[in-house]
Amino acid sequence: MRQPAKKMRLQRLAVGGVLFLLALLVWWPLWFLCTGALMPLDELEATIGPALGRAEGMVCWHLLPSWPTLQPLMELLLDTPQFFAMFWNSVGQVFPQLIGQLLVAAPAAWALSRLRFRGRRVLLHLYVVLMLMPFQVTMVPSYLVLHTLHLLDTPWAVILPGVFSAFPVFIMTRGFDAVPRPLLEAAAIDGAGPVRTLWRIGLPLGIPGVLSALVLSFLEGWNAIEQPMTFLKNQAYWPLSLYLSDITTQNLGVAMGASLVMLAPAILIFRFGQPYLELGIQAGGIKE
Amino acid sequence: MARDHTLQGAERRAAALLLAPSLTGTTLFLLLPFAETVRRSLFDGRGIRFVGLTNYRAVVENTAFRMAVANTARFIAVCLPLLLGISLLLALGIRALRTPHREGGGRVFKTTFLLPMGIPVASIVLLWQVLFAKAGIFNTFLVSLGKNPVDFMGTGAAFWVLIATYLWKNTGYDMILWLAGRDAIPQDLYEAAAVDGANGWQAFRWITVPNLMPTFVLVTILSLLNCFKAFREAYLVAGAYPHQSIYQLQHLFNNWFLQLDLARLSAAAVMVAGALLVLILLVQKIRTGEET
């Protein structure tokens, strides 16, 4: 009995070792971003400058900053108004989308999940098909409608298509499926209307599905590249995600700091939303 | 009976009310404009004169379109097996760390491998440049091994950088799907097999593999559909004008969009939609097949 237990332990150790090595592929970039933001400018120029064609020689990287400083971060936060504008553009484009999705998708999902009516299955199929279509397909239709409504080159060009995305409807529907029907029938007998039932019973019990949809939508919106790139020609409306991707690195320290500030909200949401994120992924793939 | 009828009527009315905002938006922002896209694909550039399938023929005969389709196909052919295999191994590895009483670090690794999904592309652009530039970290490493440096961005090597980037960012997503599938297999099966003297490999071959088949099909199709969204990774690796080995459909669409070539763009979009619709209906069939 001893032998197999020992063998099992060794096996686990080996598996753990391999996973650890792979995990370094994730940890190292995060480490790079955190230490890079604390590195003084001259050290950045000397170490990674060559990679960006700013200095001679080859790149090298110090595991720790030789002289940690908050100076680049301070410069970013205090002296770079452009950065602030982009940051607030991102916020101003992502959160209206989330609020809109909550108002539009949650009631629709509730009806699709918990109410019986003819055509329910067909509608559900429709939402799934729309949800899985990539941007290549929705790009021209979105352009046509935004052009007709004169919304191109305004933040609404990013917000409105996001609000009416089919994706949160589907994820929230999966979440509401967990609400037991007898509870609803009891509420109906007590005379509660459909909106009240959704508010009083549906939202509290179906909140994991709603949060799943919102976490996934946040990550998607915060990382948006295609939509703003296509529909926002005016750089004044660009979100941080697009601006940073196009960065010409006038100031390495500021760029490093900006990368970290871009990362921070996403990591924060990830930290607290991870269970919902996993739930959302599973809802997309496998029947509950 | 009469009461029941009115209850159903009330449910119908409630459903109509609750669905109205979403359906209005979907119709206005997706369905109607898509119908217009289909119409435009059959008309000339100004959308006035009916030209039949001319636009479609122009798209299919276009060399850039062919290259983009071939690149997208090549990307999927290489990326998909790697993505499925690595994510499955990660999921099984994490499972193997678990003991009946402890997670054994499985949680930390699960979080770690899912994390890149949450990392915005924009925040790692700079890092990728440092890694893959001509004088970057990888080349420094290659030179120190006595090899010649590689121009990662300007040659066919860009394709492999894109593959690695895509895997780095998306393996966690598939891993979660695999884990859910694996967790759904009843532990009794393994215990019964152990009693019968099956070893680890036999249990894997005869219990895990067959029971993961439905998961396999779904993960494959979902990953396939996701591969069409690899533009962000390509943009991260090479910006808007990449080496031609990673020039994908989205790049072509962006180009045609800049030229405002709506007729060709519409035809191409309709074709992509048609091809994907077939795949999606397949997923739907599997899903509903499972429910019954």
Side-chain angles (χ1 to χ4, degrees):
Chain A
M1 210 51 208
R2 261 238 150 101
Q3 212 54 22
K6 198 175 165 194
K7 199 181 143 203
M8 286 276 281
R9 240 200 350 260
L10 270 177
Q11 246 173 21
R12 259 204 288 279
L13 212 64
V15 170
V18 173
L19 289 181
F20 178 81
L21 288 179
L22 288 172
L24 287 179
L25 295 178
V26 179
W27 293 335
W28 184 78
L30 292 176
W31 181 252
F32 175 92
L33 288 175
C34 292
T35 54
L38 297 176
M39 214 173 254
L41 195 55
D42 49 351
E43 191 180 358
L44 277 177
E45 293 281 5
T47 51
I48 65 172
L52 307 165
R54 300 163 65 93
E56 289 294 308
M58 291 301 260
V59 83
C60 65
W61 185 249
H62 301 160
L63 201 55
L64 279 170
S66 55
W67 196 256
T69 167
L70 285 174
Q71 199 258 328
L73 264 181
M74 281 301 152
E75 194 186 332
L76 174 74
L77 295 179
L78 298 178
D79 297 337
T80 324
Q82 199 189 5
F83 172 80
F84 263 102
M86 303 283 175
F87 183 84
W88 288 113
N89 280 349
S90 277
V91 172
Q93 285 166 24
V94 173
F95 285 95
Q97 274 187 60
L98 298 188
I99 295 166
Q101 287 177 358
L102 196 61
L103 294 175
V104 171
W110 178 252
L112 286 170
S113 166
R114 297 291 82 170
L115 298 177
R116 276 157 294 194
F117 57 94
R118 211 180 305 146
R120 193 181 71 91
R121 290 193 77 85
V122 176
L123 279 182
L124 207 51
H125 282 295
L126 176 72
Y127 278 106
V128 173
V129 169
L130 293 177
M131 163 180 98
L132 291 172
M133 286 294 174
F135 187 67
Q136 284 101 297
V137 172
T138 54
M139 171 177 171
V140 187
S142 294
Y143 169 78
L144 290 174
V145 72
L146 293 170
H147 179 75
T148 313
L149 298 176
H150 301 289
L151 292 176
L152 283 171
D153 237 353
T154 71
W156 295 108
V158 175
I159 296 170
L160 283 176
V163 167
F164 296 114
S165 157
F167 178 73
V169 177
F170 178 76
I171 301 289
M172 288 181 192
T173 303
R174 279 300 173 92
F176 285 137
D177 284 348
V179 180
R181 270 184 207 278
L183 215 58
L184 306 179
E185 277 150 22
I189 289 166
D190 287 348
V195 176
R196 243 181 71 158
T197 318
L198 166 60
W199 184 245
R200 284 291 185 73
I201 302 174
L203 276 184
L205 290 180
I207 199 74
V210 174
L211 289 178
S212 296
L214 294 182
V215 169
L216 280 160
S217 288
F218 174 84
L219 293 179
E220 174 74 17
W222 194 252
N223 197 9
I225 303 271
E226 297 96 328
Q227 294 88 341
M229 191 163 109
T230 313
F231 300 134
L232 302 177
K233 289 280 161 279
N234 186 349
Q235 289 209 9
Y237 295 124
W238 276 17
L240 204 49
S241 51
L242 194 56
Y243 167 72
L244 270 181
S245 309
D246 207 31
I247 207 159
T248 40
T249 50
Q250 306 99 342
N251 183 331
L252 265 182
V254 169
M256 269 292 175
S259 299
L260 190 66
V261 175
M262 174 88 218
L263 179 68
I267 293 291
L268 206 68
I269 297 273
F270 183 90
R271 165 76 184 74
F272 294 104
Q274 195 196 346
Y276 304 109
L277 180 64
E278 290 176 20
L279 223 77
I281 294 173
Q282 288 167 24
I286 290 164
K287 76 187 190 91
E288 60 275 49
Chain B
M1 192 64 201
R3 202 187 111 82
D4 200 56
H5 191 76
T6 56
L7 205 66
Q8 267 182 20
E11 258 191 56
R12 260 207 307 278
R13 276 194 301 279
L17 181 74
L18 294 175
L19 275 164
S22 177
L23 280 181
T24 311
T26 306
T27 310
L28 191 66
F29 277 87
L30 284 166
L31 299 179
L32 283 182
F34 188 75
E36 170 70 6
T37 306
V38 175
R39 190 190 73 82
R40 290 235 177 188
S41 74
L42 299 168
F43 281 70
D44 68 347
R46 284 165 306 144
I48 298 168
R49 198 167 50 85
F50 182 78
V51 293
L53 293 178
T54 315
N55 293 325
Y56 288 87
R57 206 171 303 126
V59 169
V60 174
E61 284 167 2
N62 183 284
T63 34
F65 180 77
R66 289 189 173 185
M67 182 174 81
V69 168
N71 279 341
T72 304
R74 175 162 171 249
F75 175 74
I76 290 172
V78 174
C79 195
L80 198 60
L82 286 172
L83 184 65
L84 291 174
I86 295 173
S87 58
L88 175 62
L89 287 178
L90 289 182
L92 292 176
I94 285 170
R95 283 282 313 196
L97 287 184
R98 276 190 213 163
T99 63
H101 314 292
R102 285 189 309 136
E103 278 276 338
R107 250 211 97 64
V108 177
F109 285 124
K110 187 162 84 167
T111 304
T112 300
F113 296 131
L114 192 58
L115 197 54
M117 213 189 130
I119 298 180
V121 159
S123 64
I124 48 173
V125 168
L126 194 58
L127 170 61
W128 251 237
Q129 285 178 359
V130 171
L131 281 175
F132 296 110
K134 276 183 190 154
I137 289 182
F138 274 116
N139 275 330
T140 308
F141 184 65
L142 284 178
V143 169
S144 73
L145 288 181
K147 300 215 160 64
N148 287 326
V150 177
D151 180 5
F152 285 105
M153 299 306 183
T155 63
F159 177 76
W160 296 101
V161 176
L162 175 65
I163 295 272
T165 308
Y166 190 82
L167 290 175
W168 181 79
K169 194 140 170 48
N170 296 290
T171 307
Y173 179 94
D174 280 19
M175 177 193 72
I176 295 295
L177 292 173
W178 284 120
L179 270 174
R182 174 60 185 80
D183 285 346
I185 304 174
Q187 199 54 38
D188 308 2
L189 292 178
Y190 291 95
E191 279 159 18
V195 169
D196 290 343
N199 62 29
W201 166 249
Q202 285 167 328
F204 175 76
R205 172 69 190 82
W206 299 108
I207 301 173
T208 312
V209 170
N211 279 291
L212 278 182
M213 275 325 270
T215 311
F216 170 72
V217 176
L218 272 173
V219 178
T220 306
I221 299 176
L222 282 174
S223 306
L224 187 59
L225 289 167
N226 281 335
C227 279
F228 280 83
K229 301 176 182 170
F231 175 74
R232 270 179 206 175
E233 283 82 359
Y235 191 69
L236 160 66
V237 170
Y241 305 99
H243 183 259
Q244 63 169 21
S245 69
I246 58 171
Y247 185 88
Q248 308 223 348
L249 277 171
Q250 185 65 54
H251 294 103
L252 177 72
F253 276 49
N254 288 345
N255 264 344
W256 285 355
F257 184 78
L258 285 179
Q259 299 162 17
L260 273 179
D261 193 346
L262 281 184
R264 266 201 301 188
L265 200 50
S266 301
V270 170
M271 278 195 275
V272 173
L276 293 183
L277 189 64
V278 174
L279 274 173
I280 293 168
L281 291 179
L282 206 64
V283 187
Q284 293 294 81
K285 213 169 133 75
I286 294 162
R287 226 188 234 131
T288 46
E290 257 179 38
E291 273 164 24
T292 48

